[in-house]
Amino acid sequence: MNLLQDAVRYLNDPFNWTRANGIVELLGQHLRISALAVLAAMAIGIPVGALLGHVGRGGGFAVALSNVSRAVPTLALLTVFAVTPIGFGPTATTIALALFAVPPVLTNTYVGFRGVDRDVVEASRAMGMSGRQVLLRAELPLATPLMMTGVRTAAVQVVATATLAALVAGGGLGRIITLGFRQQDYGAVLAGAIVVAVLALLTELLLAAVSWALTPGEKRLPFGRVRARRAAAAGAAAQR
């Protein structure tokens, strides 16, 4: 109980939030590293997964390769980067986290596109759509739920793992934890862990809301409804 009280006391101290290298500043660094890593993973995983799922070739090997890469610890990558021109710092952390986030994004995107009803795809082609139009107007709306699940999983993992940045001078909320261990201030360690856990939970909730909004359905945001109507039109054509 004393440890929890120490953590609450640490979090209730305004100085710990506003000082240099305080919670607010470290939170900004943590979010920046995590956002860049997830965006980089999306820039790689979504186009590759969508293309492989669309053409239906080479996807199995790519997914297997990406899944094998999950076995490589992020800390090991950071250690390797230390002896390369990348070195220590936020850049090394962002690259390592991006590589860590690619597998769930790529795998879920590929599975989502391959799971689209083939009748819908064939009907879209019969309507005169080009390959690109089929990909964007017919397959993408229907693959969005699984694709967003991959993005959400990757984002939560990255937010939690970004604490390792503190070990390589990369900043972020992990500095509270590492500094607490050095000073044997375990209340600060628990406080840092609580902040990271809350941030991961908020990330999950935010991306779940985004996924809900983008998933085809009548009770969605306007953008989601437009995509729903496109998918429904393709589905109706498939039944004719």
Side-chain angles (χ1 to χ4, degrees):
M1 183 60 70
N2 289 335
L3 182 60
L4 181 59
Q5 290 175 346
D6 290 342
V8 172
R9 189 178 303 112
Y10 183 94
L11 293 173
N12 282 334
D13 187 348
F15 178 73
N16 291 328
W17 289 82
T18 57
R19 62 181 171 83
N21 288 324
I23 296 176
V24 173
E25 182 178 342
L26 295 178
L27 176 62
Q29 296 173 5
H30 200 99
L31 289 174
R32 183 167 59 253
I33 292 171
S34 300
L36 289 175
V38 173
L39 289 174
M42 291 173 63
I44 297 171
I46 290 179
V48 173
L51 180 60
L52 293 177
H54 176 69
V55 301
R57 292 191 297 270
F61 174 76
V63 170
L65 182 63
S66 68
N67 287 334
V68 168
S69 68
R70 296 188 187 188
V72 180
T74 304
L75 187 57
L77 286 176
L78 292 174
T79 304
V80 171
F81 290 159
V83 296
T84 68
I86 297 176
F88 282 154
T91 300
T93 305
T94 302
I95 295 173
L97 291 175
L99 294 175
F100 177 65
V102 165
V105 176
L106 173 59
T107 300
N108 281 60
T109 301
Y110 172 76
V111 173
F113 274 82
R114 288 306 297 161
V116 174
D117 192 335
R118 293 299 98 186
D119 289 339
V120 173
V121 175
E122 293 302 323
S124 300
R125 289 172 177 162
M127 294 168 61
M129 288 187 181
S130 63
R132 181 178 179 181
Q133 290 174 326
V134 171
L135 176 69
L136 297 178
R137 296 184 181 181
E139 294 178 317
L140 178 58
L142 298 176
T144 294
L146 266 178
M147 184 178 71
M148 286 303 301
T149 297
V151 172
R152 191 166 71 246
T153 300
V156 173
Q157 290 177 348
V158 164
V159 167
T161 310
T163 53
L164 294 176
L167 300 177
V168 292
L173 293 170
R175 292 191 61 177
I176 300 175
I177 298 174
T178 55
L179 185 60
F181 275 118
R182 291 173 187 170
Q183 298 177 342
Q184 296 186 349
D185 183 357
Y186 299 112
V189 173
L190 180 57
I194 290 173
V195 175
V196 173
V198 170
L199 181 59
L201 179 60
L202 292 177
T203 300
E204 169 74 20
L205 294 175
L206 174 62
L207 291 180
V210 172
S211 178
W212 175 86
L214 296 180
T215 299
E218 290 302 321
K219 295 181 180 181
R220 300 295 187 265
L221 297 180
F223 178 63
R225 290 200 294 269
V226 170
R227 298 177 67 176
R229 283 195 289 269
R230 291 176 178 173
Q239 296 176 353
R240 292 196 184 104

